[in-house]
Amino acid sequence: MTGQQRREQLLDVGRSLFAEKGVEGTSVEEIAASAGVSKPVVYEHFGGKEGLYAVVVDREMQTLQAAMTGALTTPAHPREILEIAALTLLDYIESSTDGFRILVRDSPVEGGSDGGFASLMSDAAGRVEHILAAAFTARGLDAGVAPLYAQMLVGSVALTGQYWLDTRRPDKADVAAHIVNLAWNGLTGLESDPQLTDAAKTYVADAKARRAR
């Protein structure tokens, strides 16, 4: 292997082990053995397991952050933005299961924690806050509570995503529809059979087409 190929191999191996055991439960010996190399090779490329872990987390953060930023800046109706944002997170969980496990294992969602996933969700809440503030103002509601509602929305999506990570039921589109059903209609206005809007259905179809290519 070239140096770059070896580096990528170690990243793949580390990603899998960190997802299964966490950074504390994974040793340099395990990483080296799984990659079929000696321990000095791991140190040469990353300086140890902590350096490898940092690169793995950074890559996952960049991937998810880029996807969420795109979803939350899509010019659309607020409900459609919520749907696409929920679908974007569920897409990431589905396609990068190991990456999501790594982010949430050592970076809890609860507010006040400094961690990759928690920081990313806080950033997402900040973006949602602006969307909600505009919607509240347009409806004559108090825009000052928009930050609180933003935290509620993002928190519900993130925690539901962690639940769905293991169950994978119901279907991803149905999960997104139910999340937005609660967020959009509230408990007193729940629809009996929530469905995604046409914009979100198009997003699902496009995502399937991309994976098929």
Side-chain angles (χ1 to χ4, degrees):
M1 289 187 182
T2 65
Q4 184 60 36
Q5 288 172 331
R6 179 65 72 191
R7 180 181 174 85
E8 291 301 320
Q9 181 208 21
L10 290 171
L11 284 168
D12 289 340
V13 168
R15 185 173 182 267
S16 178
L17 288 172
F18 293 143
E20 179 185 356
K21 301 181 176 183
V23 64
E24 295 300 326
T26 301
S27 67
V28 174
E29 288 83 358
E30 286 180 289
I31 296 168
S34 297
V37 300
S38 61
K39 287 169 54 178
V41 174
V42 180
Y43 287 111
E44 176 187 348
H45 283 277
F46 299 100
K49 72 171 183 179
E50 289 79 10
L52 174 58
Y53 178 77
V55 175
V56 169
V57 169
D58 184 63
R59 282 193 172 190
E60 295 302 326
M61 282 286 292
Q62 288 185 30
T63 299
L64 182 53
Q65 188 167 37
M68 292 299 293
T69 298
L72 293 172
T73 55
T74 300
H77 186 276
R79 175 167 180 160
E80 294 170 353
I81 293 174
L82 293 177
E83 290 176 335
I84 293 172
L87 285 166
T88 296
L89 180 60
L90 294 173
D91 274 345
Y92 172 77
I93 294 170
E94 186 175 60
S95 62
S96 301
T97 300
D98 282 352
F100 185 73
R101 287 189 190 280
I102 290 169
L103 292 181
V104 299
R105 180 191 295 274
D106 298 307
S107 303
V109 175
E110 285 79 15
S113 57
D114 294 325
F117 190 66
S119 297
L120 190 147
M121 289 297 100
S122 178
D123 180 67
R127 296 175 185 276
V128 171
E129 175 186 331
H130 296 297
I131 297 171
L132 292 180
F136 281 18
T137 299
R139 297 179 60 184
L141 302 174
D142 179 13
V145 297
L148 177 62
Y149 278 84
Q151 292 291 335
M152 291 185 219
L153 285 173
V154 172
S156 66
V157 173
L159 289 173
T160 302
Q162 291 187 53
Y163 167 80
W164 188 75
L165 171 68
D166 295 317
T167 65
R168 299 300 173 97
R169 291 192 303 270
D171 178 81
K172 176 175 57 182
D174 288 337
V175 174
H178 282 288
I179 289 173
V180 177
N181 184 28
L182 175 60
W184 192 258
N185 298 305
L187 288 173
T188 59
L190 289 179
E191 300 166 353
S192 60
D193 183 26
Q195 300 291 321
L196 297 177
T197 61
D198 289 341
K201 289 177 181 177
T202 298
Y203 175 92
V204 173
D206 290 346
K208 288 182 179 178
R210 286 195 298 273
R211 285 195 295 272
R213 287 200 291 267

